[in-house]
């Protein structure tokens, strides 16, 4: 209904503020908003499914609402994982994990498109670090999702050259 339209309009209105090159005092607050939206959606989704939360049928979350919710937040979360703010990056990574849990097929292909070039050294170092962290957050969903688990061993293999026992700062 009208709530979905307004929600989509809100996210579209602030989308440019999530771009990694556009950081400022708003960055942490916006990333926190997206983090809490995703976190509370997952919490409600799980409570409704388990029967722990009794919601009238006309107000229950369904697959279409879940699908639209993930699509609405997907782009801002993918931008946020490359934020220059560590806090904003962490919020975005947590939101990414929540969205992948809800709709793996909407999140994992885009995540892999970003993670592979980063692991192959084709992008800036900070993007590689963010991509490794994204892989860490998505690994559980990936191994549980048919068609994606095969990427785990390849991506871990790409991470091996970056491990240096003599330089723990670089390795971490």
């Amino acid at each position: 209904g009208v709530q979905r339209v307004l929600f989509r309009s809100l996210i579209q209105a602030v989308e440019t503020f999530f771009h990694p090159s556009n950081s400022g005092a708003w960055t942490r607050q916006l990333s926190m908003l997206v983090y809490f939206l995703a976190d509370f959606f997952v919490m409600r989704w799980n409570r409704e499914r388990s029967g722990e939360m009794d919601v009238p049928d006309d107000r229950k979350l369904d697959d279409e609402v879940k699908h639209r919710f993930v699509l609405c937040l997907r782009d801002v979360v993918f931008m946020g994982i490359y934020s220059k703010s560590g806090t904003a990056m962490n919020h975005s990574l947590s939101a990414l994990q929540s969205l992948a849990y809800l709709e793996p097929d909407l999140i994992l292909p885009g995540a892999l498109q970003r993670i592979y070039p980063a692991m192959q050294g084709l992008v800036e170092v900070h993007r590689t670090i963010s991509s490794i962290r994204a892989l860490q957050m998505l690994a559980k969903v990936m191994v549980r999702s048919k068609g994606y688990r095969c990427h785990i061993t390849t991506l871990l293999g790409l991470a091996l050259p970056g491990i240096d026992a003599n330089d723990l700062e670089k390795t971490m």
Side-chain angles (χ1 to χ4, degrees), residues 124-148:
E124 305 87 357
V125 173
H126 73 276
R127 288 181 85 84
T128 300
I129 293 165
S130 294
S131 294
I132 291 170
R133 296 278 314 282
L135 177 60
Q136 172 194 354
M137 299 301 272
L138 296 174
K140 186 175 177 182
V141 174
M142 287 176 71
V143 297
R144 291 181 175 179
S145 304
K146 196 171 187 160
Y148 298 105

Side-chain angles (χ1 to χ4, degrees), residues 101-159:
Y101 166 78
L102 292 167
E103 290 278 0
D105 291 329
L106 290 181
I107 298 299
L108 295 179
L112 291 171
Q113 284 179 338
R114 291 161 174 82
I115 293 171
Y116 270 108
M119 299 299 281
Q120 293 164 337
L122 303 174
V123 296
E124 305 87 357
V125 173
H126 73 276
R127 288 181 85 84
T128 300
I129 293 165
S130 294
S131 294
I132 291 170
R133 296 278 314 282
L135 177 60
Q136 172 194 354
M137 299 301 272
L138 296 174
K140 186 175 177 182
V141 174
M142 287 176 71
V143 297
R144 291 181 175 179
S145 304
K146 196 171 187 160
Y148 298 105
R149 54 180 74 120
C150 58
H151 292 279
I152 293 289
T153 51
T154 306
L155 290 166
L156 289 175
L158 290 171

Side-chain angles (χ1 to χ4, degrees), residues 11-28:
I11 297 302
Q12 287 173 341
V14 297
E15 188 172 349
T16 58
F17 293 99
F18 283 90
H19 197 280
S21 63
N22 185 7
S23 66
W26 55 85
T27 306
R28 287 178 54 196

Side-chain angles (χ1 to χ4, degrees), residues 47-65:
R47 291 172 109 187
E48 282 186 22
R49 296 294 163 283
S50 71
E52 181 184 338
M53 179 184 244
D54 192 30
V55 178
D57 287 342
D58 63 323
R59 304 220 9 233
K60 278 191 174 161
L61 299 175
D62 60 19
D63 286 333
E64 182 193 346
V65 170

Side-chain angles (χ1 to χ4, degrees), residues 50-81:
S50 71
E52 181 184 338
M53 179 184 244
D54 192 30
V55 178
D57 287 342
D58 63 323
R59 304 220 9 233
K60 278 191 174 161
L61 299 175
D62 60 19
D63 286 333
E64 182 193 346
V65 170
K66 177 180 66 150
H67 187 84
R68 287 175 186 240
F69 178 80
V70 172
L71 283 176
C72 189
L73 292 182
R74 180 174 63 180
D75 291 343
V76 295
V77 168
F78 275 135
M79 282 190 272
I81 65 172

